[in-house]
Structure formats: C-alpha cells, structure tokens
C-alpha cells in the first residue's frame, strides 16, 4: 500500500545543468585538426601497393593494427608517465588515431569481398582484424610498461 501524496514530503529536483558548449570548443577543434591529419595519413597508406580483386585488404588491416598499437603506447605514456595538457588526449588519441584507424573501411572491405564471391577471405578478415587490433593494443601497452619500468631502475 502506498502513502497518499499529501503525506509524502516533496523534494525539489535539482534543475538539470546545461553544459557550457563554449568550454568544449577547444576539444572539438583539436579533435577536428587531429582527425584531418590522421585521415590524410591513412589515405597516404592506402595509396601504397595494389590489391587484386578478392585479395586480403592488407593496407587497411595494417593501418588498423598499427593505429591500435600506437594507442596502446600512447595511453600508457599519457596516463602513467606524463602529466599532459588536457587537449593532448583528444587531439592525438581521438583525433589523429581516430582518423588514422578505419573500421568503417574495414566494414566496406568485408562487404566488397562478400559481394564479389570471396566469402572465405571476408570471414578471415572479419576475424583477423579485431583480434590483431586487440592484441596490438595489449602487446604495445605491456611492452611500453616493461620498457618504462626498466628505464626507471
């Protein structure tokens, strides 16, 4: 049984606080600048070599794996070693590396492989990319910690 509303104390709900959008402008700006730089670097990598129809998309694969390895190193350094400016992480982590890695192209590559009758290659690529990317982040972070620990001794 519930108490009638007249018996319950009325608490005023705090007014929702609206974020000051102007405080986010520097973050948006550095993410955009970093994203442009990362996307340009990714495009440059995509121009190297050619891929035969139905071939494994090695450029995209290595771009994603390399970007994930760099994020592993970067996150260890930025969170465990350096006290960096508040805009470093959004610029480099979200912007540059977000623009460089390309999981949207990964999805398009899979679709193209399936559409051209190369389902086995698509399935191998579908499984290999996230596994290699996660392994790259883990291995790079672990190696960075190991190197930094040895340097401190």
């Amino acid at each position: 049984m519930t108490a009638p509303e007249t018996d319950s104390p009325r608490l005023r709900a705090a007014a929702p606080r609206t974020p000051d959008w102007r405080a986010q402008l520097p973050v948006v700006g550095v993410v955009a600048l970093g994203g442009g730089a990362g996307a340009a670097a990714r495009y440059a990598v995509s121009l190297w070599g050619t891929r035969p129809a139905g071939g494994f998309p090695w450029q995209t694969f290595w771009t994603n794996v390399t970007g994930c390895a760099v994020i592993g190193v970067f996150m260890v350094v930025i969170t465990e070693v350096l006290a960096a400016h508040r805009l470093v992480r959004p610029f480099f982590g979200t912007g540059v590396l977000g623009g460089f890695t390309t999981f949207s192209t990964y999805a398009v590559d899979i679709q193209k492989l399936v559409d051209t009758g190369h389902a086995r290659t698509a399935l191998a690529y579908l499984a290999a990319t996230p596994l290699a990317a996660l392994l790259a982040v883990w291995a790079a972070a672990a190696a960075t910690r190991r190197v930094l620990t040895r340097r401190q001794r």
Side-chain angles (χ1 to χ4, degrees), residues 34-123:
R42 179 186 70 231
Y43 179 71
V45 169
S46 75
L47 297 177
W48 294 344
T50 58
R51 182 178 84 198
F56 195 87
W58 289 108
Q59 287 102 334
T60 305
F61 177 83
W62 287 116
T63 297
N64 288 332
V65 171
T66 303
C68 288
V70 172
I71 197 75
V73 172
F74 175 69
M75 290 308 292
V76 168
V77 170
I78 204 75
T79 60
E80 299 175 20
V81 178
L82 298 177
H85 188 276
R86 72 179 187 93
L87 296 177
V88 170
R89 184 187 255 171
F91 171 75
F92 191 73
T94 304
V96 174
L97 293 175
F100 183 71
T101 57
T102 174
F103 284 90
S104 59
T105 302
Y106 159 72
V108 169
D109 286 344
I110 292 167
Q111 186 63 50
K112 284 181 183 178
L113 287 167
V114 169
D115 289 347
T116 58
H118 299 93
R120 286 186 184 155
T121 304
L123 188 58

Side-chain angles (χ1 to χ4, degrees), residues 15 38 69 108 125 130 144 151:
V108 169
Y125 181 51
T144 303
R151 289 186 83 197

